[in-house]
Amino acid sequence: MHNFYSTNEFESRYTYTGTDLGAVWSADKTDFRVWAPTAEAVQLCLYKSGTPGTEDLIEKVEMTADVNGTWVASKDGDLNGIYYTYLVTVDGKTVEACDPYARTTGVNGQRAMVIDLNSTNPENWAEDRDPNAGKAITDAVIYELHVRDLSADESSGIVNKGKYLGVVEEGTKTKSGIPTGLDHIKSLGVTHVHILPMYDYGFTDETLPLPQYNWGYDPVNFNVPEGSYATDAYNGAVRVKEAKQMIKGLHDAGLSVVMDVVYNHVYEAYDFCFNKIVPMYFSRFDSNGTLINTSGCGNDTASERSMVRKYIVDSVKYWADEYHIDGFRFDLVGLIDTDTINELVTEVHKTHPNVIFYGEGWDMATGITKPNVQMTIQRNAHMVPNFGFFNDTIRDQLKGSVFENTEKGFISGGHFDRNELVKAFRGQTDWAPNPTQTVNYVSCHDNNTLIDRIVLSTREYSREDQIKMNDLAAAFSILSQGVPFFHAGEEMLRTKPENDGGFDHNSYRAPDSVNAFKWNDLEQEEYAKTLAFYKGLVAFRKAHPALRLTTREAVDAVVTNLDCGNDRVLTFLVDGNVPGESAKEMYFVFNGNNHDVTVTLPKGQWNICICGDQAGTKALGTANGEVTVPALSAMVLVKQNSLLMPVLAGAAAVGAAVGIVRALIKNKK
Ligand code: CA
């Protein structure tokens, strides 16, 4: 049966292409359509409440078989706020299921709710736009955040702790007056806030007053915001409203919003509503009838099937249209085929050309149910030109393998492959056709935080040295060609300590005490200095278009690797002959030695903009001839465009002349 779903015979008969799946509300009536090609009968159950188990059925409505395996029903009147499920009979067995196309649900996502989506829009929603629209993906600086981490700790001073609304509270501070939450993110200068899963997920019990912590990689309802982040998880309208308020608040703060999406698997394959309605259609099975589990989460999504593909495309498009989401990060996208990814990118870009896409393109070797299907992995990057991939090469070369937490890398005195780091700085890791497809990072929510990972592998070093290594890694990854990305809190030496003195490398369900930002840390100099350094790096990147090139050819034209004769020093010269670039040249030195090194500069007078624990767009000092680069640190020098001076002088002369003429005219009157 499972493989029959993937045949041409099944697909040509049962592929529905309409846009009206789910409950389509209007003030006068609501139309329901569900795809259930193997069903003998389908009934619509209408309920007063969304709470599973509550005996408040209003009515059961028989649904009628319609085209391509769909079933329809229509109900007169204003159904906004009415909850519903489907009773589906297949092979004489009847099951109750939520609507896969549910726009919202009651508590814990078991009953869908009919909703007037316009009534959930924040003020001025029609004018709401991506604040970074029109820019290239390489102009983005991405900040990876869990809704709850930002606000959960007492020190945040945020009222709506752990909630969507807590992400966008303004003017929040620690007791000593240090900005927290949204103000902190704004001051960092990042452009995109990437939110860990915020669709409805399964682990967390939304009925609890303080729901359990979870990252949320266990999808239940793909088109519904998670309830535990809403101030009321029972009323389906509240989670929709508050998720939109969060997005609007981020947009108003100049921040674009990326959503982390997990289409590659579901929380419980047999409980997933789509699989209940069309038995196990959504998931891949092997020839023994066993669920394929390459995801490690119990099941893999059969994205190659026509109605799964449509479902994923519709879902992504829905979040872009209805919630104004500006980017999508795909979890384990190596389990999803390239046709599905290209179709969803094309569909979304028709109306939202600004939206960015990237994901985890690890090679997963899943079992695919059709021939000639290509998966979305790094090696196939050329097949999905508008989709970026996390660059594990830059991550592991800088700090050591993510799988061996005591292994050292370039920043910590360990082995590294010089050629790989040169390519990475140029945004030219082998699989990446262009810098637009490499997402450069040294830490994310998975594995140890950056400083924890450094501490684990460099116990013999001082804290001071470990922070230098942190800053060196950050400088390299944030200044490389490509798309910079970092784990929220990396900029303030975020740590996830365990009781035994170790560090949590997989805090997906650890309590807030492990995961939440400890804002009071910023009262100490080492944290405050690191934060200032990150702000400087981001500002420097944003000030220099030559660091944000979009093609391999453009990089080849201006970025040169120079050999300074020291194995643990990487040097690059970047020519400023790029539109909008103010520098004539930039010179980058990354010193991985635990001692100072002296390097010879290319000819001319240079401004030092990044040195030691200081970074920014202003000159910290000048240099020519030779320069000494401190141990375990980056140095970046800028040669100003000498043409700029006569131009400015000329402009001043013209301005003065205009002033004199005006003064003469005035005097005449
Ligand atoms: Ca949930």
Side-chain angles (χ1 to χ4, degrees), residues 478-501:
I478 291 176
L479 300 175
S480 286
Q481 300 286 341
V483 186
F485 168 104
F486 57 97
H487 180 216
E490 193 192 289
E491 76 282 9
M492 48 189 272
L493 303 172
R494 182 174 179 185
T495 178
K496 295 178 182 174
E498 280 177 333
N499 294 331
D500 61 0

Side-chain angles (χ1 to χ4, degrees), residues 600-620:
T600 306
L601 294 170
K603 267 185 196 151
Q605 182 79 6
W606 294 85
N607 289 334
I608 302 169
C609 288
I610 296 174
C611 178
D613 59 6
Q614 289 187 282
T617 53
K618 294 201 180 80
L620 302 164

Side-chain angles (χ1 to χ4, degrees), residues 263-325:
Y263 294 105
N264 70 80
H265 71 270
V266 298
Y267 182 41
E268 297 282 359
Y270 288 92
D271 270 354
F272 179 51
C273 56
F274 203 133
N275 276 342
K276 282 164 114 179
I277 293 170
V278 192
M280 304 319 285
Y281 178 85
F282 202 80
S283 307
R284 292 186 181 127
F285 281 77
D286 66 18
S287 51
N288 302 322
T290 308
L291 277 168
I292 293 173
N293 179 24
T294 325
S295 68
C297 300
N299 57 89
D300 294 1
T301 296
S303 65
E304 65 275 19
R305 288 189 180 133
S306 63
M307 291 301 282
V308 177
R309 176 172 299 158
K310 174 178 167 56
Y311 184 72
I312 295 173
V313 173
D314 286 350
S315 178
V316 173
K317 201 172 171 317
Y318 174 69
W319 286 101
D321 286 341
E322 186 63 35
Y323 286 85
H324 303 181
I325 294 287

